[in-house]
């Protein structure tokens, strides 16, 4: 059986309201199905290791003023582009 192709795009519906304005630490850690992340405008902080080891993540769209936690994208070897909509802080 062939491995499933990574095709998931994370968007507003994937970031529950109960999270408020923060993507929690380790929220999507190790998700090999994710190829793109489009953070909703309400997100102001990405927690530590939130997307770490998402080995097929290629692109991330980050809203204005987002603070990015340590190792948030560690191990995302295919991440080629991060679109920052305004001013974001990466450690």
């Amino acid at each position: 059986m062939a491995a499933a192709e990574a095709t998931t795009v994370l968007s507003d519906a994937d970031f529950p309201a109960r999270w408020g304005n923060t993507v929690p630490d380790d929220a999507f850690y190790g998700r090999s199905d994710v190829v793109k992340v489009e953070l909703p405008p309400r997100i102001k902080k990405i927690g530590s290791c939130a997307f770490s080891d998402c080995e097929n993540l290629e692109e991330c769209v980050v809203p204005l003023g987002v603070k990015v936690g340590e190792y948030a994208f560690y191990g995302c070897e295919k991440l080629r582009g991060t679109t920052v909509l305004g001013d974001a802080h990466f450690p």
Side-chain angles (χ1 to χ4, degrees):
M1 178 185 248
E5 185 177 336
T7 59
T8 302
V9 176
L10 298 178
S11 59
D12 195 32
D14 299 295
F15 300 89
R18 71 177 185 274
W19 287 357
N21 66 356
T22 300
V23 178
D25 295 350
D26 303 309
F28 298 100
Y29 180 89
R31 290 274 306 266
S32 61
D33 61 314
V34 175
V35 294
K36 182 176 180 179
V37 174
E38 296 176 353
L39 293 169
R42 67 181 165 81
I43 298 297
K44 300 298 179 203
K45 180 182 176 191
I46 299 172
S48 297
C49 301
F51 298 99
S52 289
D53 291 331
C54 289
E55 61 189 27
N56 291 304
L57 180 61
E58 297 176 358
E59 183 181 0
C60 185
V61 179
V62 180
L64 175 69
V66 171
K67 291 187 179 182
V68 181
E70 290 187 289
Y71 304 107
F73 296 97
Y74 180 82
C76 297
E77 304 288 328
K78 294 183 181 179
L79 185 60
R80 296 184 185 178
T82 301
T83 303
V84 178
L85 304 175
D87 190 23
H89 171 73
F90 285 79

